[in-house]
């Protein structure tokens, strides 16, 4: 009986999901196809495609900040940090940081970059804030991916006369490559549609947030400002946003599917640190 | 006895406050196979790992005393640990190839030590695989994953991988414990061949195996060296009662 209920519930949830996506595609595909892409300026003189490019640029910028720092910190925590209470506390607090609601990051970004550092470019502030918001997720994904690599690979590498850094670079990272890519892509997908931190920053009058052309924010603003009407542009924007994040998820899934799980004994599966 | 390749001097190993090896003094002869025998938990693996500075990778492990490799203390100041580990290869109890191609597994070590030229790497890979009698079996599939090999082949691949960095000593930890008898027999044949050119230290709990492949035997019990001698002497005239019991299979 319980089993039946759970099955029913999962179909219900899946059904709701399909309905939402279906409705979005039905309402959004038409306007998208009818040239919202190129011709009609929908917002602040920008066409949808321009807004989309701007969005991608911002997130690529944020990733350029978050990836090197985040992967570096993840490698350090997994491979080099002494196995101490402080290291575990650090990891716990990074988990905490990753769970802080995005709107709080917005507040932080506004305070730190706009008020304190006096940056005037709204795009720069959004980019930096998004980068910082991505950071703890990337650290955790990296840490988790490296911890899955069996200790034996590290030992075998060191036994051949590799230095610790050679071991990280040549034995550990290549074995964690896929897991790393999947985790980071999924983290990016989650972040790509988030509007909360941007709202806070854009509300600062000194920043000229009105000109902010980022897809999720455009969606939010245009719905607030034009509560009535056909909402064609909004549906087109929503579909575009959904497709972007779906695209990231799909790449992650592709990597996952093509991954041949190696046949290993239990002893080999043991992950973690090696000293 | 020929020259000693490796000499343990008052070598002790601790894990936290637990002493796993107590003041071992042992000279391991050059270009011969020495078997370290003893019951489970006698300290065989700890001994092998301390001969190539791998023990310190285990949590809370601490080593005291000296190990002389060609006369130089590998625990002395200013020693390059990576060079020690290159010169003294260790085959773990369950050797695990890296999850990449057969070729890349063998080329891993030479690449670490700066070999870049493809033709040189090709030669090293071929030579090493021939040394472990694996070349014929895998020469047509060098680019396939090493994880597809049988356990016996994996063990030989790991020996080839170790040989590719041109070590002087090979430490082999209990191959019989994770392999079937046929694969074990192949490893034993290999040891008989390799001991002509390399100093081999084999940890084993199998007295018969020690008798088949080794020239010298060291018997460990509860972290102490009970007896060391040539294999024929140990079998014919064990000095210590515990050694005799072990040989005749009367455990404790
Ligand atoms: N990493 C470790 N941490 C704590 N104790 C260990 C560790 N490795 C080995 N020991 C202990 O040291 C003793 C010797 O172990 P080992 O060297 O593996 O013996 P053998 O290889 O002869 O079975 C055992 O009592 C074992 O429990
Ligand atoms: Mg052992």
């Amino acid at each position: 009986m319980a089993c039946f209920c759970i099955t029913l519930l999962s179909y219900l949830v899946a059904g709701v999901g399909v309905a939402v996506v279906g409705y979005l595609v039905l309402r959004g595909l038409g306007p998208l196809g009818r040239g919202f892409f190129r011709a009609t300026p929908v917002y602040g003189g920008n066409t949808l495609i321009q807004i989309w490019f701007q969005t991608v640029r911002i997130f690529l910028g944020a990733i350029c900040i978050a990836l090197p720092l985040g992967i570096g910190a993840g490698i350090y925590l997994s491979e080099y940090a002494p196995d101490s209470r402080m290291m575990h506390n650090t990891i716990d607090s990074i988990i905490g940081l990753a769970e802080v609601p995005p709107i709080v990051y917005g507040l932080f970004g506004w305070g730190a970059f706009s008020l304190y550092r006096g940056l005037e470019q709204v795009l720069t502030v959004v980019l930096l804030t998004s980068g910082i918001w991505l950071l703890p997720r990337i650290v955790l994904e990296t840490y988790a991916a490296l911890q899955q690599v069996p200790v034996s690979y590290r030992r075998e590498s060191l036994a051949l006369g590799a230095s610790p850094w050679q071991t990280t670079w040549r034995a550990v990272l290549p074995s964690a490559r896929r897991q790393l890519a999947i985790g980071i892509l999924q983290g990016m997908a989650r972040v790509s549609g988030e509007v909360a931190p941007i709202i806070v920053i854009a509300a600062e009058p000194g920043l000229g947030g009105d000109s902010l052309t980022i897809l999720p924010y455009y969606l939010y603003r245009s719905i607030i400002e034009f509560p009535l009407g056909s909402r064609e542009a909004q549906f087109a924007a929503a579909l575009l946003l959904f497709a972007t994040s779906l695209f990231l998820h799909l790449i992650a899934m592709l990597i996952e599917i093509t991954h041949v799980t190696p046949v290993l004994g239990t002893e080999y599966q043991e992950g973690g640190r090696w000293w | 006895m020929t020259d000693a390749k490796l000499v343990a001097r008052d070598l002790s190993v601790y894990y936290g406050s637990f002493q796993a090896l107590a003041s071992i003094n042992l000279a391991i002869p050059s270009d011969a196979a020495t078997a370290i025998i003893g019951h489970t938990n006698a300290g065989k693996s700890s001994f092998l790992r301390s001969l190539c500075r791998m023990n310190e990778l285990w949590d809370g492990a601490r080593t005291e005393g000296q190990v002389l490799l060609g006369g130089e203390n590998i625990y002395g100041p200013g020693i390059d640990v990576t060079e020690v580990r290159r010169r003294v290869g260790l085959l773990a109890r369950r050797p695990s190839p890296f999850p990449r191609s057969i070729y890349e597994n063998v080329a891993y070590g030479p690449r670490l030590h700066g070999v870049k030229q493809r033709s040189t790497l090709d030669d090293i890979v071929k030579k090493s695989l021939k040394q472990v009698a694996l070349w014929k079996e895998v020469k047509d599939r060098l680019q396939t994953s090493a994880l597809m090999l049988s356990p016996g082949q994996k063990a030989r691949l790991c020996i080839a991988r170790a040989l590719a960095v041109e070590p002087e000593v090979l430490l082999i930890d209990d191959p019989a414990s994770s392999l079937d008898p046929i694969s074990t027999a192949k490893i034993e044949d290999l040891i008989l061949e390799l001991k002509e050119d390399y100093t081999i230290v084999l940890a084993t709990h199998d007295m018969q195996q020690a008798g088949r492949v080794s020239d010298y035997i060291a018997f460990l019990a509860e972290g102490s060296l009970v007896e060391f001698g040539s294999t024929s002497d140990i079998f014919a005239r064990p000095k210590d009662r515990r050694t005799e019991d072990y040989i005749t299979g009367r455990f404790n």
Side-chain angles (χ1 to χ4, degrees):
Chain A
M1 187 59 201
C3 182
F4 172 75
C5 285
I6 290 170
T7 313
L8 196 71
L9 214 67
S10 56
Y11 277 118
L12 213 70
V13 171
V16 171
V18 168
V20 170
V21 173
Y23 185 63
L24 187 62
V25 171
L26 274 183
R27 296 280 313 258
L29 207 55
L32 256 189
R34 276 199 302 278
F36 268 102
F37 250 129
R38 279 165 283 109
T40 335
V42 291
Y43 173 69
N46 291 292
T47 62
L48 211 46
I49 191 78
Q50 282 170 329
I51 295 174
W52 185 72
F53 270 127
Q54 189 70 273
T55 311
V56 171
R57 256 184 48 201
I58 288 286
F59 279 108
L60 285 183
I63 285 155
C64 285
I65 294 172
L67 272 196
L69 283 174
I71 292 181
I75 289 175
Y76 174 75
L77 287 173
S78 165
E79 306 296 305
Y80 295 94
D83 192 3
S84 62
R85 166 171 295 182
M86 197 176 104
M87 197 272 291
H88 290 286
N89 288 344
T90 309
I91 289 175
D92 286 343
S93 37
I94 295 174
I95 293 174
L97 279 179
E99 264 149 32
V100 168
I103 199 157
V104 178
Y105 276 92
L107 212 54
F108 168 78
W110 168 72
F113 301 123
S114 170
L115 280 191
Y116 183 65
R117 296 295 310 159
L119 294 181
E120 285 171 2
Q121 277 269 309
V122 69
L123 285 180
T124 315
V125 175
V126 169
L127 188 149
L128 290 173
T129 307
S130 303
I132 286 191
W133 178 37
L134 264 173
L135 200 52
R137 283 176 202 283
I138 305 248
V139 176
L140 293 180
E141 296 292 356
T142 306
Y143 180 79
L146 297 190
Q147 287 291 301
Q148 282 183 4
V149 176
V151 190
S152 60
Y153 294 167
R154 299 171 173 91
R155 291 189 186 134
E156 302 272 353
S157 169
L158 293 166
L160 291 167
S163 66
W165 174 242
Q166 283 176 318
T167 297
T168 303
W169 190 246
R170 297 172 187 235
V172 180
L173 280 177
S175 310
R177 221 167 29 198
R178 285 163 185 281
Q179 216 39 53
L180 203 58
I182 291 169
I184 288 169
L185 280 168
Q186 284 172 347
M188 273 160 53
R190 227 176 295 142
V191 167
S192 70
E194 187 60 63
V195 67
I198 306 175
I199 294 175
V200 181
I201 294 166
E204 164 67 40
L207 281 176
D210 284 344
S211 66
L212 195 58
T213 46
I214 294 180
L215 208 44
Y217 184 64
Y218 157 70
L219 197 58
Y220 163 77
R221 278 290 296 274
S222 65
I223 291 171
I224 300 275
E225 281 171 20
F226 313 105
L228 303 170
S230 74
R231 298 216 161 153
E232 287 207 315
Q234 286 89 333
F235 271 105
L239 186 60
L240 202 55
L241 194 58
F242 174 72
T244 307
S245 123
L246 186 70
F247 177 71
L248 292 171
H249 273 300
L250 277 181
I251 303 179
M253 251 172 68
L254 267 181
I255 298 174
E256 208 153 25
I257 289 170
T258 54
H259 178 45
V260 190
T261 318
V263 198
L264 298 171
T266 45
E267 190 178 321
Y268 296 48
Q269 298 286 14
E270 173 200 6
R273 37 191 63 246
W274 36 274
W275 62 88
Chain B
M1 196 197 277
T2 51
D3 296 347
K5 181 80 197 176
L6 273 171
V7 182
R9 278 204 191 142
D10 294 324
L11 181 67
S12 297
V13 169
Y14 301 82
Y15 297 104
S17 57
F18 172 74
Q19 185 167 21
L21 282 183
S23 262
I24 306 285
N25 281 289
L26 179 62
I28 290 165
S30 210
D31 296 335
T34 301
I36 312 293
I37 60 169
H39 296 288
T40 305
N41 288 343
K44 306 182 291 296
S45 301
S46 303
F47 182 62
L48 290 200
R49 294 198 297 254
S50 61
L51 295 182
C52 58
R53 297 218 34 188
M54 285 295 285
N55 229 18
E56 56 214 60
L57 300 181
W58 269 257
D59 259 340
R62 199 171 83 249
T63 312
E64 281 174 10
Q66 298 186 336
V67 173
L68 308 181
L69 170 62
E72 197 180 13
N73 180 17
I74 64 172
Y75 288 95
I79 283 288
D80 179 0
V81 185
T82 61
E83 182 60 8
V84 169
R85 292 183 185 144
R86 185 195 65 72
R87 292 172 65 191
V88 184
L90 174 70
L91 270 298
R93 198 172 66 81
R94 294 183 67 174
S96 55
F98 297 120
R100 51 182 87 171
S101 72
I102 295 169
Y103 183 99
E104 283 305 321
N105 263 278
V106 184
Y108 185 88
R111 280 194 211 278
L112 288 177
H113 302 291
V115 181
K116 288 202 178 74
Q117 214 180 359
R118 187 71 191 198
S119 58
T120 316
L121 284 172
D122 287 350
D123 291 344
I124 296 174
V125 169
K126 184 171 176 180
K127 177 171 168 246
S128 310
L129 288 172
K130 276 188 168 163
Q131 277 181 295
V132 299
L134 201 57
W135 176 249
K136 282 215 188 79
E137 293 165 49
V138 302
K139 68 171 189 288
D140 298 322
R141 48 180 176 132
L142 290 176
Q143 299 307 328
T144 57
S145 170
L147 300 180
M148 301 302 171
L149 297 172
S150 72
Q153 288 173 321
K154 279 182 189 163
R156 279 183 287 148
L157 177 68
C158 287
I159 297 179
R161 186 174 64 180
L163 292 177
V165 297
E166 301 181 341
E168 297 155 39
V169 183
L170 267 189
L171 312 169
I172 305 178
D173 196 356
D174 222 346
S177 67
S178 62
L179 293 176
D180 61 280
I182 293 172
S183 304
T184 306
K186 282 189 182 161
I187 302 281
E188 288 178 11
D189 290 343
L190 206 55
I191 294 174
L192 287 174
E193 263 174 47
L194 291 173
K195 74 180 185 185
E196 306 291 326
D197 304 312
Y198 301 87
T199 302
I200 293 191
V201 187
L202 169 76
T204 177
H205 60 270
D206 180 349
M207 199 63 209
Q208 269 67 44
Q209 184 177 58
R212 284 191 296 270
V213 302
S214 70
D215 308 298
Y216 301 91
I217 287 179
F219 181 61
L220 282 185
E222 286 159 19
S224 299
L225 179 66
V226 173
E227 190 163 352
F228 175 74
S230 74
T231 301
S232 48
D233 282 353
I234 295 272
F235 271 97
R237 297 175 288 278
K239 290 194 211 81
D240 195 288
R241 180 62 195 273
R242 287 170 289 174
T243 319
E244 191 178 343
D245 286 349
Y246 195 78
I247 295 171
T248 53
R250 276 183 311 225
F251 293 152
N252 299 324

